[in-house]
Amino acid sequence: FPAMVSNPKLALAQGTLSVVMKQNVTLSCLSEPGSPPVRYTLFKHNQQVSALNRSDLSPALFTLTISSASDVGEYKCKAEYNNSSGGKYSNSLTFTLLEPISKPVLSSPTSQAKQGQNVTLSCFSENGSLPITYLFFKGTQNISPQKTMQKRKAAVIFLLINSLSDFGTYKCKANNSFPNITKYSNAFNFTLAEERSHSQPLIISLGLILLLLIIGFALAIPFFLIPLYKASE
């Protein structure tokens, strides 16, 4: 036998590199060319996971069950002849864990608006694997193109409150690569801000002036009554 085998190739035989809990994946490790028998060893972060001997030219197949977060990460395999001290390592494959998204929160800096006012809506899902895609709705109709966020930050849209119909109910939805999971946000409503009358400040000012006059008159009464009282004695 030659002293060293060739570098093996590590590949996915079943499954994907983005995995969910309880998912099974199968890795294939094969050294080509190689003279059997060959011993294949699978490592995760330099820790041995499993080992198989092959007496023919078929690949070693390692089936894994992703049962915890510690099962994801970088994997490599090593090929060596049984009676040899040498060996060659493969390329690496890295598994990432897909997490379902949490219910997004729809919010705005203001809940009151006037006709003709520009407002913003923010949709944010605190948990879940990135990227996350958001879509905004008014009633059942979507009101913006979907926004895919590669970082954990809110998706924001800008709206013009142009008519009374724009004061309806808004929602957003979020989803990611986790299969068959879509979450909808709370409902959010803008309310019409009351228009303050231009006459209100004038009325308030006149009321204050009248109140001050009444107080001043009340304070001045003793100064008029005391001299009259003394003059009558």
Side-chain angles (χ1 to χ4, degrees):
F1 296 126
M4 300 285 286
V5 294
S6 60
N7 288 91
K9 180 181 179 181
L10 185 65
L12 272 172
Q14 178 186 355
T16 61
L17 291 177
S18 297
V19 294
V20 298
M21 288 293 185
K22 309 301 181 183
Q23 180 177 335
N24 292 326
V25 294
T26 301
L27 295 176
S28 166
C29 186
L30 178 64
S31 178
E32 281 187 322
S35 301
V38 177
R39 180 176 177 82
Y40 294 98
T41 306
L42 184 67
F43 294 88
K44 178 185 173 294
H45 295 312
N46 300 320
Q47 296 293 319
Q48 181 175 327
V49 176
S50 183
L52 293 172
N53 292 319
R54 281 289 175 264
S55 57
D56 54 22
L57 296 177
S58 63
L61 297 177
F62 300 96
T63 298
L64 308 171
T65 300
I66 306 300
S67 56
S68 69
S70 63
D71 292 327
V72 298
E74 184 184 72
Y75 285 81
K76 286 185 177 183
C77 72
K78 179 183 179 182
E80 58 189 333
Y81 292 118
N82 287 336
N83 297 322
S84 172
S85 59
K88 290 288 184 68
Y89 286 90
S90 72
N91 55 296
S92 63
L93 292 177
T94 301
F95 290 100
T96 56
L97 185 64
L98 286 177
E99 295 180 277
I101 52 173
S102 57
K103 180 179 178 178
V105 175
L106 184 64
S107 61
S108 175
T110 179
S111 60
Q112 293 188 330
K114 302 175 184 178
Q115 285 185 253
Q117 181 178 339
N118 289 308
V119 295
T120 61
L121 277 174
S122 300
C123 187
F124 180 65
S125 188
E126 186 174 358
N127 298 309
S129 303
L130 297 171
I132 298 177
T133 299
Y134 296 95
L135 193 62
F136 292 82
F137 296 87
K138 179 181 175 294
T140 58
Q141 182 179 6
N142 64 297
I143 55 174
S144 73
Q146 66 179 20
K147 294 180 176 289
T148 300
M149 309 303 292
Q150 303 291 340
K151 297 181 179 179
R152 198 163 299 282
K153 57 188 295 187
V156 179
I157 62 169
F158 300 89
L159 301 173
L160 173 63
I161 303 299
N162 200 35
S163 64
L164 292 178
S165 63
D166 295 325
F167 289 95
T169 300
Y170 292 85
K171 282 189 176 184
C172 67
K173 74 174 182 179
N175 65 335
N176 60 3
S177 299
F178 196 93
N180 304 319
I181 295 291
T182 297
K183 296 286 183 69
Y184 285 85
S185 73
N186 54 294
F188 187 92
N189 290 77
F190 290 104
T191 57
L192 181 62
E194 294 184 4
E195 297 282 353
R196 294 185 62 182
S197 172
H198 294 294
S199 62
Q200 280 184 330
L202 179 61
I203 294 173
I204 294 173
S205 299
L206 290 175
L208 289 174
I209 293 172
L210 180 60
L211 179 61
L212 291 173
L213 288 175
I214 293 172
I215 294 173
F217 182 72
L219 293 174
I221 288 176
F223 293 97
F224 288 102
L225 292 180
I226 292 173
L228 291 173
Y229 176 74
K230 289 183 177 180
S232 63
E233 288 181 348

